Amino acid sequence: MLRTLVLRFYWDGEPEPSVEVPFGDFFAIGHDAAPHLVNSLPVVVGPYRACQSFWPMPFRKHFRITLQNEGPQDANIVAYKIIYKLHEVPEDAPYFHAQWRRSITRRDYPEHVILDGVQGRGLYVGTYLAWSAFSRGWWGEGEVKFYMDGDTEFPTIADNGTEDYFGGAWCFYKDGKGPEEVFNSLYCGLPLACYDDQQGPRRFSLYRWHLLDSIGFAQDLRVTVQALGWWPNRKYEPLTDDIASVAYWYQNEPHQPFPAFPSMSERWGR
């Protein structure tokens, strides 16, 4: 149900949204079939799906927030509260942006694009992934890469591995043994590791907020993550996985047009 609801934010009369994300993914609960809590600094999800966002979102004269239901069923209860303060905004204060993407990685191209096409000056401040792992082995060895300001083949930042970027180590295992152990913290977490259906994909939610270590760029930005892991035969392999992501960043307007927003059938969770 949460993937059928789409949040869009418009700042100061812009015709196209600066935020365009399915409701659940925006609040780091992208797996509809596996609701869970999130306890971090900018995003909190309490019982039952009480979704709260504390990202600063400056505007000068006007803002517009919409929630659109694109599904076949009514959203029976939607209650909301928006808190804002009227005061002077610094001339150079950038606007908040968020963008959703989803892909099925391939063994010959095991890369998911988290963000691309950003031009101008800004700060990258967060990543959320809703990861469905199809293999039975370890899935999170891929690097998160930040290509910025003219980078081509080699990124300015390449993290050591997926679990390292999201605040874990050694496969998120407890005492070095599986399965993955969930955790929440102010800036990073693995709030969901779901194995309910042993015949279907395993589901993971991961967030990393760059609140104290924002990633600045002056000209352009592209962010990717690889789907790499260990197969049960202990062989290191690229993976075919289902990855959905939200990128959060600040930049001045105007921003480059977002890709066409995926249809409901393209957003539906597994």
Side-chain angles (χ1 to χ4, degrees):
M1 180 64 184
L2 297 183
R3 282 265 171 92
T4 69
L5 303 175
V6 183
L7 273 171
R8 294 182 175 92
F9 297 8
Y10 303 80
W11 307 123
D12 290 326
E14 63 179 346
E16 300 297 328
S18 288
V19 172
E20 190 171 37
V21 180
F23 182 88
D25 295 79
F26 183 79
F27 293 100
I29 50 171
H31 293 286
D32 278 4
H36 57 85
L37 304 182
V38 177
N39 187 13
S40 73
L41 197 58
V43 175
V44 175
V45 178
Y48 174 73
R49 288 180 175 170
C51 300
Q52 299 149 86
S53 168
F54 300 99
W55 293 106
M57 301 182 189
F59 64 96
R60 272 75 179 177
K61 296 180 179 180
H62 177 267
F63 72 88
R64 179 171 178 249
I65 298 176
T66 67
L67 178 65
Q68 182 179 6
N69 182 5
E70 298 183 352
Q73 299 178 343
D74 291 340
N76 293 329
I77 299 177
V78 177
Y80 65 91
K81 176 173 61 177
I82 298 173
I83 300 175
Y84 64 94
K85 177 183 178 182
L86 298 178
H87 63 93
E88 292 294 325
V89 175
E91 184 176 346
D92 60 350
Y95 291 95
F96 179 77
H97 294 71
Q99 184 184 115
W100 186 83
R101 294 184 180 225
R102 182 187 187 183
S103 66
I104 308 296
T105 59
R106 307 191 312 266
R107 294 200 64 193
D108 62 333
Y109 189 77
E111 182 177 81
H112 169 74
V113 176
I114 297 171
L115 184 63
D116 197 9
V118 174
Q119 295 183 12
R121 180 182 297 273
L123 295 170
Y124 187 88
V125 294
T127 307
Y128 167 70
L129 297 184
W131 194 304
S132 296
F134 297 143
S135 66
R136 307 315 304 169
W138 167 236
W139 50 275
E141 202 63 34
E143 297 175 345
V144 180
K145 300 180 180 181
F146 293 84
Y147 300 83
M148 61 187 71
D149 300 337
D151 289 343
T152 54
E153 183 178 0
F154 300 106
T156 296
I157 300 173
D159 209 279
N160 192 43
T162 308
E163 85 272 44
D164 302 272
Y165 173 74
F166 288 101
W170 294 104
C171 309
F172 296 112
Y173 290 168
K174 182 177 181 179
D175 299 326
K177 300 178 181 179
E180 293 84 350
E181 184 175 17
V182 299
F183 75 100
N184 277 282
S185 74
L186 296 180
Y187 307 113
C188 55
L190 177 77
L192 173 70
C194 182
Y195 303 90
D196 289 346
D197 184 359
Q198 293 299 318
Q199 301 303 315
R202 296 172 294 155
R203 302 181 184 94
F204 303 94
S205 278
L206 310 100
Y207 64 83
R208 172 71 161 87
W209 313 134
H210 294 275
L211 299 182
L212 300 180
D213 58 343
S214 58
I215 298 173
F217 55 94
Q219 299 175 10
D220 54 74
L221 179 65
R222 171 183 168 88
V223 186
T224 66
V225 61
Q226 301 165 309
L228 301 175
W230 295 95
W231 281 30
N233 61 4
R234 303 297 297 169
K235 187 177 181 181
Y236 188 58
E237 293 279 1
L239 304 175
T240 299
D241 283 346
D242 182 343
I243 304 174
S245 62
V246 182
Y248 307 79
W249 78 99
Y250 290 89
Q251 72 166 105
N252 291 323
E253 295 291 350
H255 64 264
Q256 292 296 305
F258 286 8
F261 196 67
S263 66
M264 187 60 251
S265 62
E266 294 172 305
R267 302 197 307 268
W268 199 259
R270 293 179 180 272

